[in-house]
């Protein structure tokens, strides 16, 4: 196995984007594809490293840029959420970028376009949900500490199975938001699951975050459990 | 592997009980023990069959009778819930019977008494929770479509990790009951997880139940997913 990273610049709704393909370049045939949506900061080393773990499971991964080439922030940035805020303010544009990312994944040489799924973290969890809400033909989606508010327009029919991995103490998604998401997905006829982790806040997969007083912190148990759940879920969704 | 069933009659709080030990009689050493609490009807063939699947994973299983010898009902019984109702009306007696069942499990020759966990279905899910609430030294507990109302007395410190496998549309445990349980377990400092399955009602592990109009029905997806989750959970809790 030879996991490699290849940066690709591609056109999309509103400009140029720079995403990363992470896959086993020694694989002899196309593999099921996984679209990975980053958190609020945009694509970065932590996403590429997570993508390598997913690629090692036998998938071709596209770490999708939905902000635009060069548009990245860090936790130290005083306005770290500015690119996310732009897309939160225009959910139709977000939807179009998500669909374009999915089309890009499906067209990659390394990918069996008939078998795709998506995963995402924080804002990327919202991306997973919004791609499913847009009716994309993805077999499955996994949201890790996502954001649950629905777009201000009706959903298409949801075709993806969904797994919501959730820290119960996440201040961004209190119980009423979680219950509302459950009701929305049920009404949409979706095959959904919620894995909620007690005494766990937002960002539980992110080793760089340690602000428990704000409800944001890495949690090794929830990270390990949600990774394991994702492995089983992708196997089921992608028949891999 | 030679999975065998052995019925045992034992004294307990309030009389005689008849439980079933299910384990690999060819095993050369004691194994981690799993206490299985049946649903409203009491011990029956379906529990013994499930116990055999758990025993095949490498555990010694005790299907615990908490009603008393001969006290069993069937779905056809006009008062199928009568023995459950007695214990729901006396949660302290229920607690004492649960603790006695756990002591019985720990003392079995086939069991490594230092490594025990518990699983249960419907009323048996309540038994799992109440045993944990009683402060029993079980490493883990899995509730399948359980009943979440707390006893009318304070909990002991919860030592068990808990996994709550839950049908979101379960009429016995609507969202407010589920949220209340999450709050209770969080306040207790417990390491808990909730796996909620969308478009799934009560009794999702029970192939004999098909009353979707009442919110009670077998669900093959939730049955398979919750079994898989239990396997991973028991591995983590029991170091097996």
């Amino acid at each position: 196995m030879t996991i490699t990273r290849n940066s690709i610049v591609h056109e999309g709704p509103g400009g140029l984007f720079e995403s990363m393909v992470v896959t086993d370049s020694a694989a002899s045939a196309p593999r099921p594809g996984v679209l990975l949506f980053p958190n609020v900061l945009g694509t970065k080393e932590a996403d590429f490293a997570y993508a390598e773990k997913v690629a090692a499971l036998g998938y071709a991964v596209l770490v999708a840029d939905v902000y635009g080439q060069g548009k990245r922030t860090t936790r130290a940035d005083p306005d770290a959420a500015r690119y996310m805020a732009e897309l939160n303010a225009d959910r139709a544009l977000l939807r179009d970028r998500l669909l374009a990312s999915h089309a890009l994944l499906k067209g990659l040489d390394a990918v069996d376009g008939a078998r795709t799924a998506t995963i995402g973290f924080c804002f990327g969890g919202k991306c997973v949900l919004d791609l499913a809400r847009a009716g994309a033909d993805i077999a499955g989606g996994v949201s890790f500490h996502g954001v649950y508010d629905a777009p201000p327009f009706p959903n298409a029919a949801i075709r993806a199975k969904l797994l919501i991995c959730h820290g119960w103490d996440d201040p961004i998604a209190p119980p009423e938001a979680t219950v509302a998401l459950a009701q929305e997905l049920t009404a949409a006829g979706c095959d959904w699951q919620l894995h909620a982790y007690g005494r766990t806040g937002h960002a539980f997969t992110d080793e760089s975050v340690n602000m428990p007083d704000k409800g944001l912190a890495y949690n090794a148990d929830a990270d390990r459990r949600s990774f394991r759940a994702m492995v089983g879920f992708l196997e089921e969704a992608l028949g891999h």
Side-chain angles (χ1 to χ4, degrees), chain A:
Chain A
M1 192 183 301
T2 311
I3 307 290
T4 55
R5 302 178 182 184
N6 285 291
S7 176
I8 51 172
V9 176
H10 51 100
E11 288 189 35
L16 284 178
F17 299 82
E18 184 170 0
S19 298
M20 184 75 84
V21 180
V22 182
T23 190
D24 178 9
S25 57
S28 57
R31 318 193 119 192
V34 175
L35 197 55
L36 186 157
F37 293 116
N39 70 6
V40 54
L41 306 176
T43 70
K44 61 193 146 329
E45 175 56 31
D47 300 308
F48 308 144
Y50 200 98
E52 288 180 344
K53 294 200 295 179
V54 177
L57 299 170
Y59 304 106
V61 185
L62 178 66
V63 181
D65 171 22
V66 296
Y67 291 160
Q69 194 175 23
K71 292 183 171 177
R72 307 288 186 272
T73 59
T74 69
R75 298 267 173 209
D77 195 313
D79 191 13
R82 62 187 181 277
Y83 301 124
M84 179 178 80
E86 286 176 17
L87 289 174
N88 274 333
D90 189 346
R91 295 286 282 272
L93 178 61
L94 173 59
R95 175 197 63 204
D96 293 347
R97 288 184 180 175
L98 301 174
L99 289 167
S101 297
H102 185 226
L104 179 67
L105 173 78
K106 292 206 297 179
L108 293 174
D109 289 343
V111 170
D112 172 0
R115 291 194 292 164
T116 61
T118 180
I119 66 177
F121 307 86
C122 169
F123 176 70
K126 173 182 278 191
C127 294
V128 166
L129 294 173
D130 273 16
L131 185 59
R133 287 163 169 147
D137 61 337
I138 48 174
V142 186
S143 163
F144 298 89
H145 44 86
V147 186
Y148 303 152
D149 59 298
F153 43 78
N155 292 344
I158 295 180
R159 298 155 77 180
K161 299 177 195 290
L162 292 174
L163 171 62
I164 315 299
C165 294
H166 172 75
W168 191 258
D169 297 335
D170 188 334
I172 298 171
E176 54 269 29
T178 307
V179 169
L181 177 66
Q183 290 170 334
E184 178 202 341
L185 297 179
T186 297
C190 172
D191 175 356
W192 66 266
Q193 301 171 68
L194 169 73
H195 287 196
Y197 308 107
R199 302 173 64 82
T200 303
H202 190 71
F204 57 78
T205 62
D206 190 337
E207 292 189 54
S208 73
V209 176
N210 186 23
M211 297 180 278
D213 53 316
K214 293 184 176 174
L216 287 77
Y218 178 69
N219 183 302
D221 285 337
D223 186 28
R224 183 185 67 252
R225 291 165 179 172
S226 63
F227 186 86
R228 182 171 181 150
M230 176 194 70
V231 170
F233 178 85
L234 291 178
E235 284 176 6
E236 180 180 327
L238 296 173
H240 181 65

